[in-house]
Amino acid sequence: MSVKVNRRKFLKMLGWGGAGTALTGCDLPTTVTLEEGKEEVVSYLMPEEYAIPGIGVWYASTCTQCEAGCGLHGRVREGRVLKVEGNPDSPVNHGKSCMMGQSTVQAHYNPDRITSPMMRKGSTLQAVSWDEAMSALTSKIGPDSGVKGDRVGMVTGTVSGHQAVIIDELLAQVGSKNHYVHEVINTSVWSSVCRDMLGDEMPKLNFDKAGVILSFGADFLGTWISPVHNMGEYAKFRKGARGSLIQVEPKMTLTGGNADLWVPAKPGTEGALALGIANFILERGWNAVDVPSSVGKSLSQYTLTAVEKVTGVPVSKIKRIASMLTERGPSLVIAGASTENHENGYDAVASVMLLNLVMGNIGKTIEASAKFPEKALRAKQGNTKDLLLLAKALKDNKLDVLFTYNTNPAFTAPAVLQVSESLSGVGFKVAFSMFPDETTLQADLVLPIHSGMEDWGTHVPAYQPDTSSVLSLQQPLMEPIHKETRGFGDIMLSLLKLRNKDFGKFADYYSYLQTAVANMPADVTSNVEGASKDIWTNMLQKGIVKAKVSTNDLSPKLVDMKFKVKQDNSGYPMHLVPSARLGLWDGRHANIPWLQEFPDQIAKVVWGSWAELHPKKAAELGVKNGDYVRVTSASGSIETQVYIHKGIHPDAVSVPLGQGHDEFGRYAKGRGVNPLKILNPLMERRTGELATHATRVKVTNAHRHEKLVHLGGSESQVGRKFVKTISVDQLRRTEGEA
Amino acid sequence: MQVERRTLLRKLVCSLRGRMRMKTVTIKQLLSFSVLAFVVSILPAKSYAELPVPAHITPPVGEHESPVVPQPIEFPHDRHVKDMKINCMYCHTYARRSKVAGIPPTSKCMGCHKVIATDKPRIQKLTEYWEKGESPKWLKVHDVPDYVHFTHEKHIRKFVFDAKFPVEDVQQVCGLCHGEVQGMTVAEKKKPLNMGFCQRCHEANGGPGDCWACHK
Amino acid sequence: MSQVIEDKVIDEKLEWSRINADVIASMQAPRKAYWVTVFVCLTMFLCAIAAEIYQYKMGLGSAGLNNPHMWDMYIATFVFWIGMSHAGTLLSAILHIIHAQWRKPIYRFAEAMTTFSLMTAGFFPMIHLGRVWNLYWVLPYVSDRGIWPNFRSPLVWDAFAISTYLSSSALFLFIGMIPDMAILRDHTTGWRKKLYGILCLGWRGDDRQWRNFRRTYMLLACFLIPLAISVHSIVSSDFAMSIMPGWHVTTFPPYFVAGALYSGCAAIMTLFVCLRYFFRMEEYMTLNIMEKTCKLTFAIAMVWTYLNLIEFSSTWYGHNIYDKEVLIAKATGPYAAVFWTMIFCGCVVPFTLCFQKLRRHMPSMFVVSILLNLGMYVERWMIVAPTLAQAHSPHQWDVLWGSVIQWAIVFGSFGWFGLLFLVFVKLFPCVSMYEVKELCFHLKHEIEEEEKAKKHATTKAAGKAEEGSGRTAPGTPGLEGA
Amino acid sequence: MSFKNILENFSYYRRDAEDGGHHDYDHRFGMTIDLDICTGCNSCSTACYAENNLAVVGKERFEKGQAMHWMRVERYWDNIEGDYAEEGAKFLPMLCQNCGAATCEPVCPVAATYHTPDGLNAQVYNRCIGSRYCSNNCPFRVRYFNFWSYYEDSWPEPLNMQLNPDLTVRDKGVMEKCTFCVQRIRTAKDKAQREERVMADGDVVTACAQACPTGAIVFGDTMDPGSRVSKLWEKHQIHRGPFLQKKDKTNEEIRGYRIFDELSVDPSIMYLERVRDTEV
């Protein structure tokens, strides 16, 4: 559809007066009375193209539920967005969507959204008008407020596109460099290893080209880099030559659940295993690329037996994995959360990457990615290093003004960092927020922003899965439901106007975007596809624009491998695995009823937290499903129910992220526990990331039982043919090499 | 007797709907309904149609009485339809495109009434709305239960376009379910629009008999 | 003493006028226990009402039902009450046809029981229905929507069966009472007189009326027996027609009928003991009658046990894995305790009926009959619950014990039944006067024959006596009432 | 339809009664779910909630077993020798199988559930009286009953603005189940009719199939030989009809199978066996 008029007007929502009244032709399935003359029907003031009551129209936008930046199509009827689906044009998700993407609507229509600006008066936050709020803002950080330099900070989640640009612009105007980009679920160690060893921090991974994937705790089907895209690739990988997936991790993730072979290595020893495999391969001379003898020497200490002793993975398995890598190649070896978030995570990931080098996967299954030409628009990826920095800055009272946007450090920071305590030290805290989460409620000024379906924006996925780089447009699918919310961009723009006159010419963020997009470099604008050559119209229609960029090949570089497993003889025998899950993610979606109601993919538990234990360990503790256990670390303890299964290493206890909110609306508040709270402040040595998986804990029986609320009566099929498994050779015999 | 029966019919329709909207029903309604259901089922239905009925349609049988709904503006259908001879689908323009006929956008009214009959009080009221930039809150008269899937578009297509029926007489077709609008000011519900009503017409004119064709 | 004297069920010397007096007295001054029971029943019933109102407002979730357990105790209780209703038919109709004299003093309350337990059962489909206000949709009525019930569904058959059975058994009860109504009309005053006056439909007791009366009664009896059988077969088809393991059983119809008669007899024993005590009926509800009832019960119990065994073994030796699983789960799974209770109460307890001492000892009989009833109730529940708990899809396995609401309503149903019954026996004679008179008359006659036979003890005379005992006696004792 | 009609066409109705289902089908919609590439990620389930106005029941009611997920992803731990689940978990998206000879249909006292000419197993909400016999008689246990009135609890303002107007919100006392997104089918049919053509493969995609990130779910008309679904059914030798599948002997290990085929209910969903590399 071609779109000319201003979309806001275009998306005008038909009269909505709460229950009892229905929209023109919209038989909203409430239980409205059917006596005639009870329902109100309101007509459009002006007839508008494409807005026929009773007929749904699809508009393109971008998903803001996680950082992957999938393209969306939203179904709009009578001016209300009803459902979102993937945007087939987007190379990120090819028209598919995950559960979080589908739930965008519930974030948007959430009953707990903040509906008006709030300002701290005394100890409480009170609703104020926008004028009051803005004047307060101006007085605090306007040009004549005297606030300058690094005393101003901004905490955000991963940002990209023009939001990133204006954030930078604002900070530049103020003269501050404190942009803390924080994500708990990140791949920063992986990225830095890739940068050092391959020269590309987000290399393109060809799952579909791989014959065998060896993944060290990378939950690429669930939470790693770009889940929806990965799942699409995974399907190809399974369908084509029927590759095999080997997953090495302490706790079975969604990916582990789909693996052909799931190998539980002792938590924190994955690096040793990788080197062991590498060593074995070198010994056998299976390596596709010959490596300098120095490396071979340093590897030689990782003999199979030694590795078995360290990792607890039997020699036979190590051999088999090694031979698989060689026979079934081309292979792809990746590493994720449970490998990289240790104090020696960098070394571990480097050892994993070594395997790729040795097997000669570089250029085959790992390729250079297409970087978006405009550097400023590229994604600023979140990490936990910035969290530590922020915590430090707060402790030392380095900040007078702090903006928070799209992040919740008060929830995600370990208790020992005392982020929420020391936040009070900051003179003026401004929260751009949709929901009353922990951080927002600590702010002095709360600015309610539009939801992802009401706001304008552009996104450049950090992971570019295509040969051409993509910029994806986020456009409103409907008129804001709440009158008092504003777009993030609009607010930032009005702040910028105070300091920089150049921005004066933009009425709102919409017009700013329009101009900015139109003035993008030639290699973006030149190859716009579609009927109309006008890039803006094209983006409105397609939701994305692709930039053909030339990628230079990766430059593999070996680094010296020495992976030491840290011996820990403190009184904490177990490893805490704060496992992320597709759904609640890092806790940002805990206020979405759907995502609370959907069972965790592995444990199938709903509406709460649980601790996963291995049957052996459970027997030691004398607990059964539903019993409460106390998980104690050096820096705190949590109490939750156990779920016992064989998908976890006996030395590990896994507590999922997402629950344990003190605030954050009716659906999230006071539900479950937050494992991040009891993490020890350990750092990854090379990158300075927070080593989230390094915390040691002890688990004790709390002698309390409650029924574990989870899906499914029997955990076994009891001989029924529900899911039947056959082996690959059977498959080959019947269907041949597809 | 006739009146008796009308009220009975009406009560029946209401209780029918009261029940069907899947809300609990009071015992009283319950009893009265079961009695009424019996009574009505044995009463012969009387058909009437003052409008000329299009030759290709067997008209649906049934009648309905209900109080006139107080609309924000007492819109005179009779004037527009009878005197001005304005086609239904000129204003209710979505009827042939969507499941709903749609209330005409205020701009459409103003299209004429910027100049026509501007001195009339009702028009002045309309103009007020227009100047305020909002459209009047009409009350829905012809309503089917929420679990009924009815599309104007299909009916218009079958009975008008596919049947090569002259579009200028479309009112005869609309009238089958909406009564003789040319005789009313604001729209009144003259037909029961309940399941029996639809059912009979579907049987007579070869409409779908599948439950899921109309129920959702 | 001879056979006739041995097991004469009642003292033949009872004056007919005294019979009238006793029975009428019973209706006016029962023991305290009666009033206590009435009160208890009333409270139970009121609790149920409260529970039902709550459930109606909130939805069936409040009954604790869930996805696998779409049905639970409501249906079990429904089947139980339907079953109970069969005893009356058995006792009055069947025994009437085979001229078992001893039924006469007790068949009246048995019939009452039939009617009332049916009335109780009738509630349960409604209580259990999600949208009860649409109940009438299961009946084929002419509507302008031209839609009909689904005649393939056993639930629709239920609707027909139960309504027919209820109406006809009520009629049977009423017809049987007409002569007594007349007697009461003549012996009572005030509102009772008016009431009975209306109910006796101008009974004068002349020959024509008696002839018609007996014909009608016999006719109804004959009609009722096959009906009763069919009703419970249809109820059984609610389960047998499904594909669920443990429900899809060929022997269910006979099994259900047997179970029905069983529980009915057990119930009769209970009520027998109660009434005998409440209304000082020792002379009418004699131990001999109790003995006969017990023997009958024992016989039926054995039939039921046998059918159980058949069902189990056919499942055990069959090759339907799902059925087998359910059977094993019943015996060993979460419901095992309940299951074995059923086996104990249903198959073991009846053997106490073999001992004459016990049979003639009312308190122990009371306990035994209660146990039998319990067993029969549990049996119904063991049909419904375990199957749903462990059906085809293991993912949906679940164990359910019902919520407070559900229990309250189930208990309340007993209260309701008790209430109806107690009011009835207070209002109408729980012992059929005219038939007792008949009984005495015949007995007297037989015994006279005995005496004669004794006097000149010749085989021929003896033979005559035997013969005489068989012959129905002349005269219409009913006239005495008039 | 009237009583006269029943009498006249008795043989027709009887024939239906014998082997269930319909006889003059326009379409027979069916599905294929490839358990090999299904990752059990719950996207289908979410899409279903979004499309079909499914109620969120909350923790307490979920515990009671009263959840309303038409599309549930079952997870099985099975035959695990040794200490670890080395084979991973087994996932199974379970939804109404829209059986051709559905066991739920004959037992409904008011014919609220019946077979449509599209081969769908219909549930007419406003006709349902809530006897729950259908659910009891469903071996898959995929029918969900509204044990409570969910409207207020599940969609507090303004969440109810998301409700899909193309189908009702069911109130308490009504049985409901997966409809193969009949509202989408309806729309697609109308569209095809408007454009005066027959429905083509891909005109209608159910919410779950649309969302599935791995494309494990394929939906289509099994009567249209050109459709992807019928091609798959052909390939895996699954045929319509309430009987046990006869597979050709040469390769009896073909992956297609229908759950509870031995019950002769003729499910419309073919599952493809999960393949795992046992050599690893």
Side-chain angles (χ1 to χ4, degrees), chain D residues 135-148:
Chain D
S135 175
N136 270 351
N137 209 24
C138 170
F140 305 88
R141 280 281 180 262
V142 286
R143 296 176 143 264
Y144 300 93
F145 186 71
N146 286 271
F147 284 108
W148 310 87

Side-chain angles (χ1 to χ4, degrees), chain C residues 54-72 74 128-135 137-138 141 145-156 237-244 247 322 387-388 391-396 398 400, chain D residues 1-3 6 13 16-18 20 61 63-67 69 72-76 103 105-111 113 125-133 135-149 171-175 260 262-263 265:
Chain C
Y54 179 78
Q55 179 183 300
Y56 184 86
K57 277 185 144 35
M58 297 302 295
L60 276 150
S62 52
L65 302 174
N66 64 10
N67 183 340
H69 290 275
M70 287 290 177
W71 291 356
D72 197 32
Y74 290 153
H128 133 110
L129 219 52
R131 302 204 294 156
V132 57
W133 52 93
N134 294 335
L135 182 65
W137 283 355
V138 301
Y141 65 95
R145 285 172 286 149
I147 38 181
W148 296 90
N150 175 10
F151 293 101
R152 288 188 285 165
S153 167
L155 295 184
V156 175
S237 65
D238 284 355
F239 302 96
M241 288 287 164
S242 81
I243 65 162
M244 302 309 286
W247 286 7
Y322 306 116
T387 290
L388 296 176
H392 297 91
S393 163
H395 186 269
Q396 293 302 94
D398 182 43
L400 186 77
Chain D
M1 171 161 139
S2 67
F3 196 62
I6 292 184
Y13 293 109
D16 281 3
E18 274 162 358
R61 290 168 183 181
E63 177 179 0
K64 285 208 187 96
Q66 297 164 343
H69 37 49
R72 60 170 191 253
V73 180
E74 303 179 354
R75 189 264 298 109
Y76 293 107
T103 48
E105 284 164 16
V107 297
C108 175
V110 293
T113 175
Y125 303 126
N126 52 302
R127 175 69 174 169
C128 177
I129 63 171
S131 77
R132 308 195 291 296
Y133 199 164
S135 175
N136 270 351
N137 209 24
C138 170
F140 305 88
R141 280 281 180 262
V142 286
R143 296 176 143 264
Y144 300 93
F145 186 71
N146 286 271
F147 284 108
W148 310 87
S149 186
D171 204 339
K172 70 165 184 272
V174 178
M175 188 63 71
F260 290 140
E262 68 269 30
L263 298 178
V265 289

Side-chain angles (χ1 to χ4, degrees), chain A residues 30 75 77 85 242 244 260 262 317 320 328 599 602 604 614 616 643 715 717 722 724 726, chain D residues 39 42 73 75 77-78 82-83 86 89 151 161-162 166 184 210 257 274-277 279-280:
Chain A
T30 57
R75 179 181 173 218
R77 206 181 122 171
E85 289 178 359
R242 188 64 189 62
S244 324
D260 299 82
W262 182 78
K317 273 220 170 45
R320 248 155 73 203
R328 294 280 182 83
I602 297 296
K604 289 291 170 195
H614 191 276
K616 275 187 188 165
Y643 174 71
E715 302 242 299
Q717 304 177 45
F722 277 101
K724 183 151 180 285
I726 62 171
Chain D
T39 62
N42 274 347
V73 180
R75 189 264 298 109
W77 301 115
D78 255 330
D83 288 346
E86 293 191 335
Y151 184 71
M161 289 169 85
Q162 184 269 331
D166 293 343
R184 290 181 174 219
Q210 195 287 329
Y257 67 98
R274 169 175 175 272
V275 184
R276 283 301 172 255
D277 194 336
E279 294 157 29
V280 184

Side-chain angles (χ1 to χ4, degrees), chain C residues 33-97:
Chain C
Y34 171 85
W35 295 110
V36 176
T37 327
V38 169
F39 177 74
V40 172
C41 291
L42 188 62
T43 16
M44 282 164 82
F45 178 54
L46 291 178
C47 293
I49 293 291
E52 169 55 19
I53 289 170
Y54 179 78
Q55 179 183 300
Y56 184 86
K57 277 185 144 35
M58 297 302 295
L60 276 150
S62 52
L65 302 174
N66 64 10
N67 183 340
H69 290 275
M70 287 290 177
W71 291 356
D72 197 32
M73 271 158 29
Y74 290 153
I75 295 300
T77 322
F78 163 71
V79 179
F80 173 78
W81 283 117
I82 294 279
M84 194 119 133
S85 70
H86 280 50
T89 330
L90 172 79
L91 231 87
S92 58
I94 300 182
L95 296 185
H96 176 69
I97 288 178

Side-chain angles (χ1 to χ4, degrees), chain B residues 87-89 96 156 160-161 164-171:
Chain B
N87 189 302
C88 304
M89 287 198 293
R96 64 178 179 284
I156 297 284
V160 180
F161 298 126
K164 303 273 178 300
F165 185 75
V167 180
E168 52 273 23
D169 304 343
V170 73
Q171 191 213 343

Side-chain angles (χ1 to χ4, degrees), chain C residues 321-470:
Chain C
I321 181 64
Y322 306 116
D323 276 354
K324 218 176 228 169
E325 274 178 10
V326 169
L327 181 60
I328 294 167
K330 273 184 189 171
T332 61
Y335 291 109
V338 189
F339 177 76
W340 291 113
T341 316
M342 157 193 144
I343 297 294
F344 175 75
C345 295
C347 308
V348 182
V349 172
F351 282 94
T352 51
L353 300 175
C354 307
F355 307 103
Q356 192 175 40
K357 276 231 160 9
L358 280 171
R359 287 205 303 259
R360 303 187 79 84
H361 183 246
M362 284 303 119
S364 50
M365 270 306 106
F366 183 71
V367 176
V368 168
S369 63
I370 294 291
L371 281 180
L372 296 182
N373 277 319
L374 175 70
M376 292 321 288
Y377 181 83
V378 167
E379 179 229 346
R380 273 47 179 261
W381 195 32
M382 278 304 98
I383 289 168
V384 178
T387 290
L388 296 176
Q390 281 210 9
H392 297 91
S393 163
H395 186 269
Q396 293 302 94
W397 284 2
D398 182 43
V399 179
L400 186 77
W401 295 103
S403 75
V404 184
I405 298 289
Q406 198 172 166
W407 283 103
I409 291 179
V410 168
F411 276 121
S413 71
F414 286 86
W416 163 246
F417 169 79
L419 213 54
L420 285 176
F421 186 78
L422 290 170
V423 168
F424 173 84
V425 293
K426 185 85 175 59
L427 216 54
F428 301 101
C430 59
V431 173
S432 165
M433 292 181 263
Y434 73 93
E435 296 224 48
V436 172
K437 287 171 190 167
E438 248 175 40
L439 183 58
C440 297
F441 180 81
H442 292 155
L443 261 178
K444 218 185 266 148
H445 188 74
E446 284 167 18
I447 290 173
E448 279 162 9
E449 296 278 333
E450 283 284 311
E451 306 297 300
K452 273 211 219 86
K454 274 230 198 64
K455 281 209 184 70
H456 24 74
T458 64
T459 50
K460 187 153 160 287
K464 238 197 218 93
E466 291 308 320
E467 196 178 298
S469 69

